[in-house]
Amino acid sequence: MKEKEKESLIGKDTNEIIEIVKSFNEKDYRGKQISKWIYQKFTDNFENMSDISKDLRNELSKKYYLYNGQIIKTSNSDDGTIKYLIKFNNDTIEAVNIFQKYHLTACISTQVGCNVKCPFCATGLSGFRKNLSASEIVQQFLLMQRESKERISNIVYMGMGEPLLNYDNTIKSVKILNKEVGIGIRNITISTSGILKGMEKIIKENLQFNLAISLHTADEEQRNKLVPINKNNPLKDLLFLCKKYVQETNRRITFEYVMLNNINDSIDHAKLLIEKLKGIHCHINLIPHNKIYSSENYESTPMNKIKLFKDILSEYFPTTIRVSRGREKDSACGQLRIIQGV
Ligand code: SAH
Ligand code: SF4
C-alpha cells in the first residue's frame, strides 16, 4: 500500500481500533492494548508495542500509521510559554503550551489558516489552506505531551482556525482527548467566532466542554467588520443561540472581547454590551490585543482603560482580563500564522 493511502490510527477511538484488530482476526483486548499505547503511553511507533505480536504490528503498519506530524521548531518565551511549529505533510501549523501556576494548558489549532479573516488576527490574515483531520488535531496534543515532563491538564481550541467550520473533526478530537486520553471535559474549551449552524449542533450534542464566543463588540454593524462572518451569522441570532445553549446545557458561556484602542472600548460600547448580554448566564474575558504584522494598524487599549471597561461590566457580569502569555515569541492569542517555506 502506498504511504499516501494509509490511514492514521490516531483520531480513532478504542471501539474503532477494536474493529480494526478484529479485521485481522484478533481479540478485542488487543484493540484496547493498542489504544493504551497510543493515548496513555504516547507511543510514536508500532515497534514499541511490546505486548502486541510482531505479526499484528507488521500487518497494522502496512495499512496504518500513527503520526504524520512532527515538531520542526520550538520557541521558548521567558514566561515559560512554548510554541511549537508542527509540520503535517506540506502544511505547518502552530500550537502552544502555556504553563500557569496550577495548570499546563495546550492551545491547539483546527485549521491551517482561517477563512473568517478577522482583521486584527494574524491567522486570519495568513489565508486558509485546509481543515485539519481529527488525527492531526489530536496529534498536536500528543506531540506536545511527549515533549513535556508535566501532564497537560487543560486544552483550549484557540490556536489557528475556526473550530466550528471544521465541526466533525473538532468534535471527534474533543471526544478522543476526553475519553481516550483522559482530559476532563470541563478542562476543554472551544473558542468560536460564532458560526450559527455549528452552535445549533453543539447545543444538541450536550457535551459539557466550555464554550467561548469571540464577540468583540455588541454592535451589529461594527461586528460585520471585526468578525466578517457576522454578515451571514448575525449577532442577534448568535445571542439567541447563546441563551438557548445556557438553558439547554446548564453551562455558563464565556464571551471574549478583544480590546482595540478607540474602536470597541468606549463607555457606550460597555453599556451596549451590558444591554445585549442581559439575562445570559455568562462570564466576560477581556483580551488585550496582541500586536501582529498587518497593514491595518490595530492597537491594544491601554491597561488603565481596560480596567475601567472591566469595572463597568463587573457590576453585571463576572469579568476578567486575560493575561497574555508568550507575546515576545508571537505565541499569544491571534499571533499564530502559517509559516511559509519550511
Ligand atoms: N477562531 C476562533 C479560535 C481561535 S482565535 C475564535 O475566533 O474564537 C482565539 C482567540 O484569540 C479569539 O477570541 C480571537 O478573537 C483572539 N484574537 C485573535 N487575534 C488576536 C490578537 N491579535 N490579539 C489578541 N487576541 C486575538
Ligand atoms: Fe479566524 Fe479566530 Fe483569527 Fe477570526 S480570530 S481570523 S475566527 S482564528
Side-chain angles (χ1 to χ4, degrees), residues 193-237:
S193 57
I195 310 295
L196 300 179
K197 267 202 185 128
M199 290 280 296
E200 278 163 6
K201 284 198 220 166
I202 281 186
I203 293 170
K204 286 201 192 108
E205 303 266 358
N206 202 2
L207 282 168
Q208 294 283 306
F209 57 75
N210 304 309
L211 184 62
I213 307 285
S214 294
L215 206 65
H216 307 323
T217 176
D219 180 271
E220 192 84 66
E221 282 286 300
Q222 186 176 45
R223 199 164 189 270
N224 288 339
K225 266 199 216 139
L226 294 182
V227 190
I229 49 101
N230 195 69
K231 289 176 206 138
N232 303 318
N233 299 265
L235 184 65
K236 187 164 70 53
D237 300 343

Side-chain angles (χ1 to χ4, degrees), residues 149-212:
K149 284 190 199 86
E150 282 172 56
R151 283 302 288 253
I152 298 172
S153 55
N154 295 59
I155 299 174
V156 293
Y157 284 70
M158 293 190 186
M160 292 162 61
E162 170 44 55
L164 300 193
L165 289 178
N166 184 13
Y167 188 88
D168 291 344
N169 291 328
T170 295
I171 296 298
K172 181 82 198 250
S173 70
V174 168
K175 288 181 179 165
I176 298 231
L177 291 166
N178 171 231
K179 298 217 173 79
E180 307 292 340
V181 180
I183 304 291
I185 194 76
R186 289 178 182 232
N187 291 351
I188 299 179
T189 301
I190 292 188
S191 172
T192 174
S193 57
I195 310 295
L196 300 179
K197 267 202 185 128
M199 290 280 296
E200 278 163 6
K201 284 198 220 166
I202 281 186
I203 293 170
K204 286 201 192 108
E205 303 266 358
N206 202 2
L207 282 168
Q208 294 283 306
F209 57 75
N210 304 309
L211 184 62

